[in-house]
Amino acid sequence: MLLSDKIYIAGHRGMVGGAIKRALEKRGFTNLLVRTSAELDLRSQVEVNQFFREEQPAYVFLAAAKVGGIVANNTYRAEFLYDNLMIETNIIHAAYETGVKKLMFLGSSCIYPKMAPQPLKEEYLLTGLLEPTNEPYAIAKIAGIKLCEAYRDQYGCNFISVMPTNLYGMGDNYHPQNSHVLPALIGRFHEAKERGDAAVVVWGSGTPKREFLYADDLADACVFLMETYNDKSLVNIGTGEDLSIKELAYLVKEITGFEGDIVFDTSKPDGTPRKLMDVSKLHGLGWKHTTSLKEGIRAAYQDFLKKAHAMA
Ligand SMILES: NC(=O)C1=CN([C@@H]2O[C@H](COP(=O)(O)OP(=O)(O)OC[C@H]3O[C@@H](n4cnc5c(N)ncnc54)[C@H](OP(=O)(O)O)[C@@H]3O)[C@@H](O)[C@H]2O)C=CC1
Ligand SMILES: C[C@H]1O[C@H](OP(=O)(O)OP(=O)(O)OC[C@H]2O[C@@H](n3cnc4c(=O)[nH]c(N)nc43)[C@H](O)[C@@H]2O)[C@@H](O)[C@@H](O)C1=O
């Protein structure tokens, strides 16, 4: 990518899109193209086609999506399938039609089978049944991967797909019901501390294990791969380390300074027991994460506090 190239960041107001925008600006890219969902509903093929024809971006980071945690995925099943299919289909087709030089599609670790061997290798895709709670979202993401592969096969498009693990960081979604686990716990432990609650409820059994990558590290990996990776096959992006939800809860309790108890609400779903990414391909390509989980959670908590004070 040349510093003058026009780069479209779809989803720039989201946690990942915002981090990618910061990473590009830090590297001196100034010709960045962005639109809010109010300005451009990516589910509308007419609007997307017109936008690509008018703007003619050279590079596209496809980080716009309908995103949420396990309960949101399991509640809004139709939206997670429809919105994500429409967004990716419209952008990928318009990118092909307008001759975009290179596009990066962001999938997710939930594309892999629920009971696949761990750690998850890229070749485990489509080798088993998916986790039911996020099957609509996972199917949409797998369709995005297959769209990129098919447009490369038939039209020679340089469209690549990356599979991030669970992410957290600046600009995360802290909605008490719809968010992912780490932002949800940061908000819940903080509020419990402020109120002086005796205990904090954590969903599920606490036994599932999850891997967490800081969003600004992910963004760095995305820019690195956009600059260097041009193959058809997937690339996992993660830390290669995981911990149980129970261990995570005690880590968030320590960092937020909550002094009460932790109780587990097993009426809530556990989801996939484990989804640790095999990151040997990524490491072989020359990229490794730099932000430890503890320092990342501290930074995310400070970001949460800044927003909470701004809204007070
Ligand atoms: N968060 C995570 O743990 C993980 C995320 N990912 C992937 O990373 C990508 C970004 O996720 P994340 O940043 O967390 O998500 P966010 O929810 O923070 O951001 C999603 C963005 O998508 C945009 N968007 C959603 N629907 C539309 C629409 N109809 N038209 C236009 N824009 C739309 C939103 O725009 P606006 O703000 O303008 O409404 C928002 O900025 C997604 O592809 C997700 O699947 C992958 C693995 C883990
Ligand atoms: C990135 C990935 O993220 C999603 O998959 P997930 O990792 O299962 O999502 P999650 O972060 O919401 O849950 C992780 C674990 O954590 C437990 N848990 C405890 N307490 C809370 C809690 O308060 N909120 C949430 N959400 N989970 C909690 C919860 O019970 C589960 O065992 C996919 O939908 C999909 O979006 C996707 O690709």
Side-chain angles (χ1 to χ4, degrees), residues 10-17 35-38 40-43 62-67 83-84 87 105-109 137 141 163-168 171-173 180 218:
H12 77 288
R13 286 200 314 184
M15 174 174 69
V16 171
R35 287 292 184 280
T36 66
S37 59
L40 173 61
D41 183 344
L42 293 170
R43 294 168 301 181
L62 210 182
K66 172 83 178 172
V67 180
D83 286 19
N84 289 313
I87 290 167
F105 172 69
L106 278 97
S108 166
S109 56
Y137 176 76
K141 288 296 180 183
M163 298 302 121
T165 188
N166 290 49
L167 305 169
Y168 71 101
D172 205 342
N173 166 10
H180 286 102
L218 171 83

Side-chain angles (χ1 to χ4, degrees), residues 146-157:
K146 293 303 170 185
L147 277 165
C148 291
E149 288 178 359
Y151 277 65
R152 175 185 292 272
D153 292 342
Q154 185 171 346
Y155 305 123
C157 299

